[in-house]
Amino acid sequence: MAEPIDTRLLQGLTEQSEDLHSDATRLTRAALDEYADTAAERYGRRRWWRPGFLGGVAAGAVLLGAGRATAASAADDVMALQTAASLENLAVNVYTAAAGLPFIQTGNAVVKAFVEKTNAQHAAHARAFNAAAVNAGGKPQPGPDPRYAAVVQQALPTIKGPADVVKLAITLEDVAAQTYTKNVSQVSEPALRRLFGSVAPVEAQHKAVLLAVQALLAGNAADLVALPPDAAKLPAAAGSVGFPDAFYPTKDASPIDEGAVK
């Protein structure tokens, strides 16, 4: 039997995510515009996106203190961007599959909207990374990350309820956040560092929300997933479970060539 979820929290988080999305879109678009100009000067290439093409890109504030860029080449930039696009493509595949599951498809409209909006954000991230990859002289990456695609293929048939979807989504959001955080110090152009830095916090936010929901589901306390929460009933760890690290880790970040177009 699927766990009942009070969807008021999801509704509030969906609205907050849309606000973050709107604010950060400007940051991501500015980084892409700046990088397009840089690519035009360095490589003689034109932008291949038009103004407004990335109007749906979800992003957050630029990461501070991520470290100075290491010596990187245009080839490194392309591979990093293609790998990022492959991670986003895989996330789209997973959220699309989740949206088609019976307990999501025929369930509460708010839960369905949350899944759909998150899916749309990942699709927009993929477009942003592919736009930058082409302007760096590479090809767009239409496929999923090969390493995690295998993980997803094994996990999807075992999904029986919301907790299984949450567990899989946490894995994908975490590897994306770790990868983009590390990419900030691996690419050669300031505009690309800002691009990765603008998307990484969004994935980290997704993970934080999912960790909180996972903890409540695991504790048979799905009824506490509410906004505002009943503070007297929440477990002591409720305020910290979504933020297990003082600084976002990068030890599980995907190598820059993992999802590169061969």
Side-chain angles (χ1 to χ4, degrees):
M1 180 177 179
E3 302 93 329
I5 300 178
D6 186 327
T7 60
R8 288 175 292 172
L9 177 60
L10 287 177
Q11 185 172 17
L13 290 171
T14 298
E15 293 172 357
Q16 293 173 24
S17 182
E18 285 298 287
D19 290 341
L20 175 62
H21 176 189
S22 178
D23 292 340
T25 292
R26 292 189 292 273
L27 184 66
T28 303
R29 187 186 296 117
L32 283 168
D33 286 345
E34 180 183 349
Y35 182 65
D37 292 338
T38 300
E41 291 180 9
R42 178 173 294 185
Y43 309 114
R45 299 188 182 96
R46 297 180 179 179
R47 302 179 188 183
W48 71 279
W49 70 86
R50 59 186 181 277
F53 177 75
L54 295 172
V57 175
V62 172
L63 292 178
L64 299 177
R68 299 181 62 183
T70 57
S73 66
D76 292 330
D77 292 347
V78 169
M79 289 191 295
L81 289 162
Q82 290 171 337
T83 294
S86 74
L87 289 171
E88 297 297 336
N89 292 337
L90 183 59
V92 169
N93 291 348
V94 170
Y95 281 104
T96 298
L101 293 171
F103 55 83
I104 298 292
Q105 192 173 47
T106 62
N108 187 280
V110 176
V111 176
K112 184 177 180 181
F114 182 81
V115 171
E116 290 174 347
K117 287 183 182 295
T118 304
N119 191 16
Q121 290 176 356
H122 283 293
H125 291 168
R127 292 195 297 271
F129 289 132
N130 275 327
V134 170
N135 275 280
K139 297 178 180 179
Q141 171 57 278
D145 179 272
R147 177 160 63 117
Y148 286 97
V151 174
V152 168
Q153 288 175 354
Q154 290 182 344
L156 284 178
T158 68
I159 290 177
K160 305 300 181 183
D164 298 323
V165 173
V166 168
K167 181 180 179 181
L168 180 57
I170 286 173
T171 298
L172 298 182
E173 300 289 0
D174 184 50
V175 71
Q178 291 202 35
T179 300
Y180 307 159
T181 299
K182 188 170 184 178
N183 288 158
V184 170
S185 64
Q186 291 180 311
V187 294
S188 67
E189 296 291 341
L192 289 184
R193 295 197 286 275
R194 282 190 285 276
L195 175 59
F196 280 114
S198 71
V199 178
V202 178
E203 319 300 11
Q205 181 203 43
H206 290 165
K207 179 192 172 186
V209 172
L210 292 166
L211 282 173
V213 173
Q214 182 185 58
L216 292 174
L217 292 177
N220 296 317
D223 58 309
L224 297 181
V225 182
L227 189 67
D230 186 340
K233 294 182 178 179
L234 287 174
S240 60
V241 68
F243 309 96
D245 303 293
F247 295 94
Y248 214 88
T250 59
K251 62 183 180 64
D252 293 326
S254 290
I256 60 173
D257 62 346
E258 184 174 278
V261 175
K262 305 300 183 183

